Amino acid sequence: MTTISVRNPRTGETDAWITPPTGEELDVVAARLRAAQGSWAGEGIEARMQRLLRWADAMHADLDKIAAALEADTGRRRVARLEVQGAVASIRAWAASAPMLAPKADWLQGRSNPQLKHSGQFVPFGLVGVISPWNFPLTLSLIDAIPALAAGSSVIVKPSEVTPRFVEPLARTIELAGLSDLLAFTPGAGETGQAVIERADLICFTGSVPTGKKVAAAAAERLIPAFLELGGKDPMIITETADLDLAVTAALRGSVVSTGQACQSIERIYVARALHEVFLAKLIAGAEAVRLNWPSIEEGELGPLIFDKQAEIIAAQIEDARSKGAFIHTGGRIESHGGGRWIRPTVISNVDHSMSVMTEETFGPVLPVMAFDTIEEAIRLANDTDYGLSAAVFAGTLGDAEAIARKLDAGAVSLNDAALTALFYEAEKQSFKASGLGPSRMGAAGLTRFFRRKALIANTGAPLPLEAFKEEG
Ligand code: NDP
């Protein structure tokens, strides 16, 4: 296998290299994980959670090292630390809740036939394959891996080739916790992702819609389930009665945090016409106050674009909008600093759905704003998309916001805030339309989706003889 070089998002320089495994090497890893999985599942969930808590402690102790590697991967410091802290907190939260949430079944007497009684066994998938993207490299590698391990599966993770540096310090903590035979990371690009699909019993994929389709097709070929968490084009509706300042705060954070490189970013805003001008003015002022985290990574709110090719996609969408008559009020230009590429928060008005910035995933801090005249129009516009990941509604009361939210075709809706699924993991949600497939990774289903239910059906009397089905009867 050839070595893959990795670009640093702040310097533009190649400063890391990964070597994907050969097929034979991956076979060895998969066999090791499979061999350990049976006794792991047999340990019981309390014992498994104790082992995972040791891992959380090891991760906490190495927070600085893992965060430093993630910082090099993503070009941002604060969010890198938050990712590690979030992973530690996630293990601890699962440790507290998983033993209660793990499904159990009693023996029940049959209703249709009281001679029969039935129970169930919940059997974890053997080897779970996780394929993760570059935008939150640690979080999205572990968000499925932790509950899969808790359920009793072993896990192989293929992180993005764009952001692989965090794996080395993380692997040390996995080893320290004695989990190396149950959780392995494998470096590589798309080919290695396919190789993981060929060896796993279930795939958890987070990434773009086009790659998600390839993953689904490969999984279908093997008849294994694929849980797909894909892209979005999240709308935000702001009604005439909304608190304008709070709406601006939520829109700005929902769009700009992590440089808009988040699936649940706010990517289009529909605002009541009566508020349009003043909302726009406040949003522009907020956008202009955002600072790059360059030259010092210790200041500012906005990191570089992690994946340099994303810059072309963002620039092309802005140019498409400009060429069709949109006004770019602020931002709008890819900037190069010290070898990295940045884009400042970009507020756009006079937009419509003929523009790609209103219909295609941007994955950057771009806020196109469109006025609406009626709530029905706002709902129609918000639903006019191939995506259905999440959405946001700001209204004068939560009741008004809820009434609109119930009509939106999306898997989660933030009421009087934006992008709450990034901050709150307890509410179950599924992706609608092209934004994904499979059960919720949030809430209790985040754990229970890793079990297959086996039925145990017992006959308390004599079995039926063949004569019971004879034609003469
Ligand atoms: P990609 O779809 O490009 O890649 C995701 C992962 O799939 C990477 O590890 C990638 O490897 C791998 N991969 C690429 N080709 C294949 C293949 N043929 N078979 C198997 N695996 C493959 O997504 P990005 O990394 O660009 O991430 C951004 C996307 O992720 C956005 O669309 C975003 O909305 C979505 N996302 C969705 C979330 C959700 O919860 N719904 C959360 C966060 C992001 P490599 O990178 O090494 O090529």
Side-chain angles (χ1 to χ4, degrees):
M1 277 275 183
T2 40
T3 297
I4 299 172
S5 50
V6 188
R7 174 186 171 275
N8 183 305
R10 286 185 80 78
T11 64
E13 281 169 13
T14 297
D15 64 1
W17 294 264
I18 54 169
T19 307
T22 62
E24 291 74 30
E25 286 165 342
L26 205 57
D27 283 340
V28 171
V29 176
R32 191 184 84 224
L33 296 169
R34 276 188 189 286
Q37 186 266 328
S39 56
W40 174 246
E43 276 184 29
I45 194 154
E46 272 90 3
R48 286 197 297 275
M49 294 323 300
Q50 288 309 312
R51 299 259 304 268
L52 291 179
L53 280 173
R54 283 203 340 240
W55 180 30
D57 292 343
M59 232 193 275
H60 180 69
D62 276 2
L63 194 153
D64 289 344
K65 284 185 198 140
I66 304 168
L70 268 180
E71 180 180 313
D73 275 330
T74 58
R76 57 197 184 203
R77 177 164 292 177
R78 183 80 197 279
V79 175
R81 290 189 75 78
L82 287 173
E83 278 201 69
V84 188
Q85 287 160 349
V88 171
S90 164
I91 296 175
R92 292 182 178 155
W94 277 120
S97 65
M100 286 177 303
L101 297 174
K104 300 164 195 78
D106 294 327
W107 281 99
L108 298 172
Q109 191 165 34
R111 285 194 303 273
S112 55
N113 182 348
Q115 188 180 301
L116 300 181
K117 61 178 188 172
H118 66 102
S119 183
Q121 185 188 350
F122 294 88
V123 184
F125 284 92
L127 178 57
V128 172
V130 171
I131 303 175
S132 55
W134 46 259
N135 54 332
F136 294 97
L138 178 72
T139 308
L140 295 171
S141 291
L142 298 188
I143 191 167
D144 300 311
I146 294 167
L149 287 164
S153 304
S154 55
V155 179
I156 184 162
V157 184
K158 204 298 282 176
S160 172
E161 68 187 299
V162 178
T163 51
R165 298 171 187 80
F166 76 97
V167 172
E168 200 181 314
L170 183 72
R172 205 184 90 85
T173 65
I174 295 169
E175 205 177 312
L176 277 176
L179 293 171
S180 306
D181 287 341
L182 295 160
L183 171 62
F185 277 68
T186 180
E191 258 175 54
T192 309
Q194 287 290 323
V196 166
I197 299 169
E198 281 161 24
R199 287 160 179 80
D201 302 315
L202 159 69
I203 288 294
C204 296
F205 172 82
T206 307
S208 63
V209 171
T211 312
K213 287 182 181 173
K214 289 184 200 161
V215 168
E221 198 57 49
R222 290 204 53 232
L223 284 179
I224 61 168
F227 300 163
L228 307 177
E229 299 279 349
L230 310 179
K233 185 72 193 170
D234 283 9
M236 180 172 183
I237 294 176
I238 300 166
T239 71
E240 203 172 333
T241 53
D243 181 314
L244 209 49
D245 290 323
L246 294 182
V248 170
T249 300
L252 204 58
R253 190 204 78 240
S255 165
V256 174
V257 79
S258 295
T259 315
Q261 303 163 120
C263 54
Q264 74 291 331
S265 284
I266 294 299
E267 294 217 347
R268 50 201 174 106
I269 298 175
Y270 304 98
V271 60
R273 193 170 299 282
L275 299 183
H276 181 256
E277 287 310 305
V278 53
F279 175 80
L280 205 53
K282 285 177 183 270
L283 192 65
I284 293 166
E288 287 180 342
V290 174
R291 302 157 303 153
L292 306 189
N293 72 349
W294 192 90
S296 168
I297 198 168
E298 289 175 353
E299 291 166 10
E301 296 83 21
L302 200 75
L305 295 168
I306 297 170
F307 184 43
D308 54 346
K309 297 190 181 59
Q310 196 65 32
E312 270 83 68
I313 296 171
I314 297 170
Q317 288 189 8
I318 293 171
E319 192 40 48
D320 172 68
R322 195 195 313 263
S323 72
K324 290 173 180 162
F327 306 134
I328 319 293
H329 296 277
T330 184
R333 201 168 52 77
I334 305 294
E335 300 178 21
S336 293
H337 301 286
R341 307 181 92 183
W342 272 261
I343 178 157
R344 291 181 198 269
T346 297
V347 180
I348 310 181
S349 70
N350 207 32
V351 289
D352 61 42
H353 283 208
S354 72
M355 301 170 186
S356 58
V357 79
M358 295 299 280
T359 56
E360 289 171 21
E361 189 175 45
T362 308
F363 232 51
V366 177
L367 294 116
V369 181
M370 190 169 171
F372 67 81
D373 292 304
T374 63
I375 298 289
E376 290 66 34
E377 183 192 6
I379 293 168
R380 185 181 54 74
L381 288 166
N383 287 339
D384 179 26
T385 172
D386 294 337
Y387 293 100
L389 190 67
S390 37
V393 182
F394 239 95
T397 67
L398 280 178
D400 289 348
E402 181 185 339
I404 296 169
R406 287 186 180 277
K407 294 183 179 158
L408 295 181
D409 236 352
V413 187
S414 302
L415 310 183
N416 283 0
D417 203 335
L420 284 176
T421 53
L423 306 175
F424 186 72
Y425 287 13
E426 291 164 38
E428 291 195 5
K429 63 171 277 270
Q430 287 173 278
S431 301
F432 287 16
K433 301 201 255 183
S435 288
L437 268 186
S440 172
R441 67 160 38 149
M442 308 293 194
L447 175 73
T448 55
R449 69 196 157 132
F450 292 110
F451 292 100
R452 290 156 298 168
R453 186 172 178 141
K454 185 199 285 183
L456 303 174
I457 308 170
N459 193 343
T460 59
L464 273 183
L466 177 60
E467 293 84 76
F469 298 93
K470 67 183 178 196
E471 298 293 359
E472 293 89 325

